[in-house]
Amino acid sequence: MSTDTSPRSNAALFERAQKVIPGGVNSPVRAFRAVGGTPRFIASASGAYIVDVEGKRYIDYIGSWGPMILGHGHPAVLDAVQRAAAEGFSYGAPTEREVELAEAILALVPSCEQIRLVSSGTEAAMSAIRLARGATGRAKLIKFEGCYHGHADALLVKAGSGLATFGNPTSAGVPPEVVQHTLVLEYNNLEQLEEAFKIHGDDLACVMIEPIAGNMNFVRASLPFMKRIRELCTQHGALFVFDEVMTGFRVALGSAQSIYAQALPSFAPDISVFGKVIGGGMPLAAFGASRKIMSELAPLGPVYQAGTLSGNPVATACGLATLREISKPGFFEALGQRTRQLSDGLASTAKAAGIDFVSDSQGGMFGFFFSKTLPQNYPAVMATDKDRFNRWFHLMLDRGVYLAPALYEAGFVSAAHGQAEIDATLLAARESFASL
Ligand SMILES: *Cc1c(COP(=O)(O)O)cnc(C)c1O
């Protein structure tokens, strides 16, 4: 743990930050509240590594919470961003690059015929809900405990990330009337789903889900659960919304929906929400659907939605360059193998140390739990061994491995993570398990 208080130390910066920024951070999980200790202030990053202000280097398994799928400072992306910046930061007028990015996304996601670009996942999810309500003329929606869809008022109902450990099942400042139409169900619970549709089915605008829930670490929606949501939505005229802000272009080139579509014939969501990877580290997100649903949006239809910086020329350059790289043949096979090697390696290392530990991965996203079995829902995630996780997190951090600072967050591997980084991580893991 950092005790150095020289002006460029993490501790000194954290103290200074807390004077001018609430909690010293601009997004709660960065404050290390869940695991304790001093957050690292990052000075720079390159490839698979980040370097803090004290000059300590870490293997980065957060990757800005997903976007940095190519690693930091990928030459092609850097070049695209620098060229775009030189041409102008923002015009507030349409550009060719927005069209190119829309075309690139749609080519990879057959369930969407049109897409609109926005600046954050929160904005995209919020807009998707408004679109679903506008398109159906209904108000009610279902979300699942432990899934995070950004911090729009209507969705801050027992949200997972951040709020979970802060002991705020719902945020202050959200009037009860605003969430009165939001139903929160247990993830992977078929019985609750059936019950909810029996009561509210014909009043439901949509069901929103993280297909692989990355805001409660890593929990897959089971095939029967997904299949049944799809059937019930179709039967009752509700829209099925996939929040792929984290999983999109991260777990597979076609996103999580391509994995479910492989297992379930003709499976597709009605609306999809993207973010993180499609911006490559710049503020960019999107939501898309069929042409019919998207035509409800202004300026064509009555559902209002807008943004000064939407489709920003520098952000779209970054996103496009990122998508180009990950679309290259073999990219996801290699990334998936490396990630699986890490995830399996951690599990076997823990097993050798006699520690209850399970892990899973898909594409470049992974999760692990101090537990005998993989949790299937939020209560089960929160029942895993938190003390062990927290101690292990710090042991790994001391050894230069930067994992997500909370047991309910997923991990990310980038294309810049090579055999050397995986080996170093597993060595650190062996020592850390031994010290537990
Ligand atoms: C990160 C995330 C969001 C919110 O995106 P921001 O860009 O942080 O607003 C929404 N949904 C999911 C599934 C996410 O992982």
Side-chain angles (χ1 to χ4, degrees):
M1 228 159 281
S2 188
T3 47
D4 180 2
T5 52
S6 66
R8 286 277 286 170
S9 75
N10 293 304
L13 261 178
F14 192 38
E15 227 178 272
R16 193 172 136 208
Q18 283 171 288
K19 292 193 181 116
V20 290
I21 300 170
V25 292
N26 283 313
S27 200
V29 73
R30 298 179 195 170
F32 272 31
R33 289 278 176 113
V35 291
T38 309
R40 303 308 192 253
F41 281 69
I42 306 306
S44 66
S46 175
Y49 293 89
I50 49 176
V51 180
D52 73 11
V53 292
E54 296 175 16
K56 185 167 163 110
R57 199 167 83 132
Y58 304 86
I59 304 173
D60 179 18
Y61 288 107
I62 297 185
S64 187
W65 302 95
M68 310 314 298
I69 194 164
L70 300 173
H72 298 280
H74 186 283
V77 180
L78 203 54
D79 181 59
V81 167
Q82 282 170 341
R83 280 166 195 256
E87 290 166 4
F89 288 2
S90 186
Y91 317 120
T95 60
E96 183 174 5
R97 213 174 286 126
E98 293 163 86
V99 184
E100 277 183 74
L101 182 57
E103 287 166 350
I105 295 171
L106 296 177
L108 297 173
V109 186
S111 74
C112 298
E113 291 174 328
Q114 288 198 324
I115 195 132
R116 176 154 287 172
L117 304 180
V118 296
S119 300
S120 75
T122 291
E123 202 187 342
M126 179 186 82
S127 305
I129 297 287
R130 188 179 302 143
L131 176 60
R133 285 171 161 168
T136 57
R138 300 170 176 182
K140 286 192 165 49
L141 64 101
I142 285 177
K143 83 173 279 292
F144 299 96
E145 191 184 14
C147 289
Y148 178 66
H149 305 294
H151 61 89
D153 281 357
L155 295 165
L156 280 185
V157 197
K158 282 190 186 170
S161 197
L163 289 167
T165 37
F166 285 44
N168 289 322
T170 57
S171 169
V174 178
E177 306 84 68
V178 177
V179 294
Q180 69 178 347
H181 298 299
T182 311
L183 225 62
V184 183
L185 306 183
E186 197 172 272
Y187 201 74
N188 279 330
N189 186 327
L190 270 166
E191 240 166 83
Q192 274 191 13
L193 181 74
E194 299 283 354
E195 197 59 30
F197 263 91
K198 218 172 276 167
I199 305 166
H200 303 289
D202 296 338
D203 302 323
L204 279 175
C206 66
V207 175
M208 189 175 227
I209 195 166
E210 276 186 79
I212 299 173
N215 288 285
M216 48 173 158
N217 199 327
F218 188 104
V219 182
R220 295 170 189 268
S222 76
L223 287 178
F225 192 60
M226 238 11 154
K227 182 166 176 276
R228 195 61 189 137
I229 299 177
R230 180 63 279 178
E231 287 167 357
L232 285 167
C233 280
T234 304
Q235 217 171 300
H236 290 269
L239 299 177
F240 194 6
V241 184
F242 257 42
D243 181 350
E244 298 230 47
V245 172
M246 189 180 291
T247 53
F249 313 99
R250 166 54 75 175
V251 299
L253 186 56
S255 304
Q257 54 193 272
S258 70
I259 296 167
Y260 285 94
Q262 247 166 36
L264 304 168
S266 75
F267 179 93
D270 298 303
I271 301 179
S272 299
V273 185
F274 300 105
K276 297 191 169 111
V277 168
I278 60 163
M282 290 276 182
L284 198 152
F287 60 104
S290 65
R291 186 167 283 108
K292 178 165 180 285
I293 292 175
M294 292 303 275
S295 67
E296 296 287 335
L297 277 180
L300 295 179
V303 178
Y304 191 69
Q305 190 280 329
T308 301
L309 297 178
S310 291
N312 176 270
V314 184
T316 46
C318 189
L320 254 179
T322 302
L323 281 191
R324 267 194 208 113
E325 292 300 316
I326 69 172
S327 300
K328 288 183 175 167
F331 178 89
F332 268 92
E333 287 75 5
L335 181 66
Q337 268 167 27
R338 183 122 298 154
T339 310
R340 179 54 68 175
Q341 195 194 352
L342 173 74
S343 150
D344 288 350
L346 290 175
S348 58
T349 307
K351 193 170 178 211
I355 287 167
D356 289 335
F357 183 99
V358 283
S359 59
D360 195 4
S361 76
Q362 186 73 49
M365 175 174 164
F366 68 94
F368 61 85
F369 303 90
F370 285 87
S371 164
K372 279 188 204 303
T373 53
L374 279 172
Q376 296 302 307
N377 57 40
Y378 183 70
V381 168
M382 297 316 275
T384 64
D385 196 333
K386 176 166 168 261
D387 288 343
R388 265 195 169 171
F389 172 86
N390 289 354
R391 276 186 289 136
W392 194 72
F393 166 82
H394 278 294
L395 291 164
M396 292 294 278
L397 192 65
D398 290 346
R399 285 167 177 76
V401 180
Y402 193 82
L403 296 159
L407 71 76
Y408 49 82
E409 301 285 4
F412 304 96
V413 172
S414 81
H417 288 71
Q419 193 60 47
E421 284 74 31
I422 303 295
D423 289 345
T425 304
L426 294 178
L427 177 64
R430 188 175 325 140
E431 292 172 5
S432 301
F433 284 130
S435 314
L436 270 181

